[in-house]
Amino acid sequence: MYNNGSIADVETDDVESEVGESMYSRPLLIKRSNTTSQIAIVGANVCPVESLDYENPENDLVNEDLRLRKIQVFQYVLLKWAFALIIGLSTGLVGIFSNIAVENIAGFKLLLTREFMQKHEYYKAFIVYAGCNLGLAASAAALCAFIAPSAAGSGIPEVKAYLNGVDAYSILAPSTLFVKIFGSIFGVSAGFVVGKEGPMVHTGSCIASLIGQGGSRKYGLTWRWLRYFKNDRDRRDLITCGAAAGVAAAFRAPVGGVLFALEEAASWWRSALLWRTFFTTAVVAIVLRGFIQLCSSGNCGLFGEGGLIMYDISAAKVVYSAPDILAVMLLGVIGGLLGSLYNYLVDKVLRTYSIINEKGAAVKILLVITISLLTSICSYGLPWLAACIPCPDKVSTSCPNTDVSGNYKSFQCPPGHYNDLASLFLNTNDDAIRNLLSTDTAKEFYISSLLIFFGAVYFLGIITYGIAIPSGLFIPVILAGSCYGRLIGRLFEPVSKLDVGLFSLLGAASFLGGTMRMTVSLCVILLELTNDLLVLPLVMLVLLISKTMGDMFNKGVYDQIVKIKGLPYMEAHPEHYMKNLVARDVVTGPLISFCGVERVGNIVHALRNTGHNGFPVVDEPPFSDAPELCGLVLRSHLLVLLKGKIFSRDRVLARNKILHKIAELDFAKGKGLNVEDLDIKEEEMDMHVDLHPIANTSPYAVVETMSLAKAAILFREVGLRHMVVIPKSQGRSPVVGILTRHDFMPEHILGLYPHIRYRK
């Protein structure tokens, strides 16, 4: 039985034109291509989008293979833990390399600038400072523009979408990994208001993907003994471990990494994955600790300072009273308001940059150079607005500071004085945060200087994110938050008992909660960063208030970026109007299905003329008494079966013949096949092939009258690619249609029912 026509089981790579209008702020043109599985969107990058197969199929091939592979089960489990170890080691080493490289490159740049400043050659100092920044920025932009455009940005939204079931093109490719590492080093060293923490999450995920799929076919690096993991389900678990390892390497926060993967990145979780993720981050912590000990002599810049604690504020006395609680609540409200405004402005900037970046690689690089020059002007020019401050009598460090980094920068000031703005601008971002979080330095920064620095960082952080360099959002948000936190601490100083360094930490927490809308993972990450458990209740309070305030205005920044990129992300909670619809309301037809024993020509015709990735298999007499659903067969499995040419002249069952010639692991090759790779002769088109052995005999099916909201929850929680809709009454076709990720997208539903949004 073969019915020609369109169907709702067109995968997310065939997104309907209604998607564009609500995702972007201007009219869009969407061109559909079933053969290349791409959508071309004017105003955004071309992004081929594919759904992932997280469901374990149940068919004759799988059952037969399980019986034959009992001895290999132990090897499979052992490899899972071995891969977790390798991911932890690799991500830890990359994290160390990135830190050391940034410290030394940025340190050399600042040292060169300081030498000219000491000679009072201020114009030459600016030329050297801006020139180094421009060279590093152009290098990062060139890597992104010419080698891996998908490496630009944080990478967390893409990883989050992948773990939700969306496979965007090349986001985890080896070229992306290369550019992410070196582009991030160049970008952070160039003085941009960006961090390497977000890119580290993407880097860890790329490492996990590369290991999990047994290398890369494109670059000829594959290993046959890793074939067990060439499936989406195992790759998802490994990439979850990689994302957690990236956070652990970036913040030296192993427990925070696990919680970040659980709270923000992963859409699906289980206890076995928790153990492996925890093991992976523990390995990262051990690797970091070992190399920090080696670098403690000072040969690695400031990388070894503080051990595993990046911003140690444990020396501050944590005693608070009613005025302090009021100040913390005020910080939470401010963080929520500023965070929602930050997300709104980032959204507008990203939409603008997506249009600019369409004009080619040269324009991308020019935009990066422009932002770099503006950043250099602000970093070097704004400290001239600050007055020179006499050095305090009792300080633990030298004043003025002549080192590459640290507090009390002399800049243009005479001996015995320092420039507080220079201590923030002419430092690496990590050192600037360390200065803001420093304790027992209440009067170090003037209120006017804090206001200037906050305005500059807030503005530069917004316009920098979205240019063609790897860039994280964590550090800009922490910088701005700790700045206004210290400012609030100065204002409440007459009635507060808390150190201004603790106010800086609480300000950073409030801004993080207001922008990213995470609570548990951020709380633990901040505690691991600062080594102060006594401040836990205040951090919890400020995160809850800032997240609540921010949620009143818009979504978290990563959720907004996923939306802007057009990635079909399945939300945890369905839209309210989905309760007013049932499954059959969003099914579009007619349906394309196959018989249990189907004609080869019909299958080839369907594969060539549709972009569908799943087809129902329906048995009819003489194989059954009445039409009944046999199962669901995937496009990739059909391609493997057709390439094997296990055909017969008559419509007969060929189970044993197929099981003898094809194994379950052969299906791993299906994703690399196209219809054009098939060599089907004309006389073979009239032959038949048995689909029973490869059909998933127990696909997830819902009755057509099920609430669309309930179906959406089931689809996401189980991690499905296809959901079969069956009729409520007998005497009809056994299949009403197939629901895919696209059918649950608000753009598709509102395109079918424009007025349902307003129904209660």
Side-chain angles (χ1 to χ4, degrees), residues 230-474:
K230 288 197 174 182
N231 62 81
D232 293 331
R233 188 183 182 91
D234 285 326
R235 281 185 69 195
R236 174 188 62 184
D237 291 352
L238 291 173
I239 289 168
T240 303
C241 293
V247 175
F251 292 109
R252 310 176 197 176
V255 180
V258 176
L259 293 175
F260 175 86
L262 171 61
E263 182 180 7
E264 180 67 12
S267 297
W268 190 86
W269 198 264
R270 67 183 193 278
S271 58
L273 180 59
L274 176 64
W275 279 103
R276 283 203 303 277
T277 306
F278 186 74
F279 172 71
T280 306
T281 57
V283 172
V284 172
I286 293 172
V287 172
L288 289 175
R289 183 62 187 172
F291 274 85
I292 287 172
Q293 287 293 111
L294 293 176
C295 294
S296 58
S297 59
N299 296 325
C300 307
L302 291 178
F303 176 64
E305 185 171 298
L308 283 175
I309 310 301
M310 291 181 68
Y311 314 120
D312 195 345
I313 61 170
S314 58
K317 188 177 181 181
V318 183
V319 178
Y320 45 89
S321 57
D324 296 311
I325 300 297
L326 292 175
V328 170
M329 295 175 67
L330 176 63
L331 275 176
V333 173
I334 294 174
L337 295 174
L338 290 176
S340 58
L341 177 62
Y342 192 89
N343 291 359
Y344 173 80
L345 295 175
V346 165
D347 179 275
K348 298 302 179 185
V349 169
L350 284 177
R351 293 178 189 274
T352 304
Y353 284 172
S354 68
I355 300 171
I356 296 174
N357 289 335
E358 281 181 352
K359 302 184 184 299
V363 177
K364 290 182 181 180
I365 297 175
L366 182 61
L367 178 61
V368 172
I369 290 174
T370 303
I371 301 298
S372 174
L373 185 59
L374 178 61
T375 303
S376 298
I377 292 172
C378 290
S379 298
Y380 187 85
L382 290 178
W384 291 93
L385 301 177
C388 293
I389 305 172
C391 290
D393 296 331
K394 297 179 180 180
V395 289
S396 57
T397 59
S398 61
C399 179
N401 192 344
T402 57
D403 294 333
V404 174
S405 58
N407 282 353
Y408 307 113
K409 288 271 190 177
S410 60
F411 198 58
Q412 89 291 7
C413 295
H417 293 72
Y418 72 95
N419 188 308
D420 56 349
L421 269 180
S423 301
L424 298 175
F425 278 114
L426 294 180
N427 259 323
T428 62
N429 293 331
D430 286 345
D431 290 323
I433 295 172
R434 190 176 288 111
N435 293 345
L436 287 169
L437 294 179
S438 60
T439 56
D440 297 326
T441 55
K443 305 292 186 181
E444 179 184 354
F445 302 102
Y446 281 176
I447 291 178
S448 58
S449 298
L450 292 173
L451 284 171
I452 293 173
F453 184 72
F454 169 73
V457 169
Y458 193 88
F459 169 73
L460 291 174
I462 290 170
I463 66 170
T464 303
Y465 192 81
I467 61 177
I469 62 168
S471 52
L473 282 170
F474 271 99

Side-chain angles (χ1 to χ4, degrees), residues 94-105:
V94 170
I96 290 164
F97 171 73
S98 298
N99 275 279
I100 293 176
V102 167
E103 290 288 350
N104 285 279
I105 295 173

